[in-house]
């Protein structure tokens, strides 16, 4: 006898795999955003502080302003990626929970089927033993 919810179990398994894949992608995107943010911080810290003339001062100020703006954008992107990752984690946990519940039901069903098969086999063996005993009594 097959598990009545086998189709649903396959669907839940596929959903869990999709959720795991999505979590992997969002984690990778978060890491890339964090790396870009760290790179921007390093770039900003490497801007020279030596000022020789007014043109250098203006160029340095513009570079710092642009760098800070880019850093702010990267920090926002990193926060968005972290939020996406948290949603993906929650989705994966939920999909995993649903899958595990069905897997436990499937295991219980398999145990019941095995128990019924063993019971039927024992009944058949008992019947054979009784028939053999009756035959031996008739021939004796």
């Amino acid at each position: 006898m097959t598990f009545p919810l086998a189709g649903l179990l396959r669907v839940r398994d596929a959903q869990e795999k999709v959720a795991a894949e999505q979590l992997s992608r969002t984690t990778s995107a978060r890491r890339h955003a964090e790396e870009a943010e760290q790179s921007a911080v390093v770039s900003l810290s490497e801007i020279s502080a030596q000022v020789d003339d007014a043109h250098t001062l203006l160029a340095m100020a513009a570079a710092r302003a642009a760098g800070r703006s880019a850093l702010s954008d990267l920090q926002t992107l990193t926060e968005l990626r972290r939020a996406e990752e948290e949603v993906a984690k929650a989705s994966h946990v939920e999909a995993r929970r649903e899958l595990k519940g069905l897997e436990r039901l499937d295991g219980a069903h398999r145990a019941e089927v095995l128990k019924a098969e063993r019971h039927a086999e024992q009944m058949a063996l008992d019947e054979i033993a009784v028939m053999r005993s009756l035959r031996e009594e008739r021939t004796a």
Side-chain angles (χ1 to χ4, degrees), residues 75-134:
Q75 288 170 335
T76 301
L77 178 64
T78 300
E79 288 305 312
L80 287 172
R81 294 294 186 243
R82 286 181 182 142
E84 289 172 356
E85 183 182 28
E86 288 303 315
V87 168
K89 279 181 186 176
S91 176
H92 182 249
V93 166
E94 179 66 20
R96 191 87 180 128
R97 185 186 62 76
E98 290 176 358
L99 175 64
K100 288 299 177 186
L102 282 172
E103 285 176 342
R104 282 191 297 273
L105 288 174
D106 184 37
H109 173 76
R110 288 174 193 247
E112 285 297 317
V113 167
L114 185 59
K115 181 180 173 182
E117 287 174 355
R118 288 182 178 164
H119 179 71
E121 184 179 348
Q122 186 61 48
M123 294 294 286
L125 290 173
D126 290 347
E127 181 69 24
I128 291 170
V130 167
M131 295 304 276
R132 181 176 288 164
S133 175
L134 288 175

